[in-house]
Amino acid sequence: MGGYLLGGLRMARPAKLNCDYFPHFVKYDRDLDYLIERFGIEGYYFFYRLREFLCDCDNWTYRINTDSDIVYFCKQFSKLYLPVIENQLLP
């Protein structure tokens, strides 16, 4: 299954659904500023670790449908920060 261009032309290789890198801007956006204010360095770590994790997911999306999906997601982060993450994810 390859990628397609406008007009139905086929690309030489499949369209890429994830990315190899993301920009690390020096000015904080609102979301990162909130995480740092609320969780300190742990919020900073989580923000960028989450971006790294999502870069490897198709369309920057990770679906959580089962408990095992939550466990896998949480294991992608240091166990030191796991309680903070779980408290925000689980009711």
Side-chain angles (χ1 to χ4, degrees):
M1 182 170 153
Y4 290 90
L5 300 173
L6 290 175
L9 297 174
R10 192 171 164 89
M11 294 173 47
R13 59 182 152 164
K16 193 167 182 148
L17 300 176
N18 53 20
C19 63
D20 297 319
Y21 64 92
F22 59 89
H24 186 129
F25 297 109
V26 295
K27 186 175 180 184
Y28 295 161
D29 65 6
R30 190 175 182 170
D31 297 330
L32 179 55
D33 192 44
Y34 171 79
L35 289 171
I36 292 170
E37 184 67 31
R38 176 118 189 245
F39 300 107
I41 193 67
E42 290 89 355
Y44 182 86
Y45 166 83
F46 178 78
F47 183 83
Y48 283 105
R49 180 62 191 107
L50 179 62
R51 285 185 170 207
E52 291 170 359
F53 175 75
L54 291 175
C55 275
D56 199 33
C57 298
D58 290 347
N59 297 318
W60 277 53
T61 304
Y62 180 73
R63 299 201 183 279
I64 297 178
N65 298 317
T66 65
D67 288 344
S68 65
D69 292 336
I70 293 173
V71 170
Y72 177 77
F73 176 79
C74 290
K75 281 189 162 193
Q76 302 308 304
F77 302 87
S78 170
K79 291 185 188 271
L80 178 63
Y81 305 114
L82 200 55
V84 173
I85 297 166
E86 285 179 330
N87 288 337
Q88 297 302 315
L89 285 177
L90 301 174

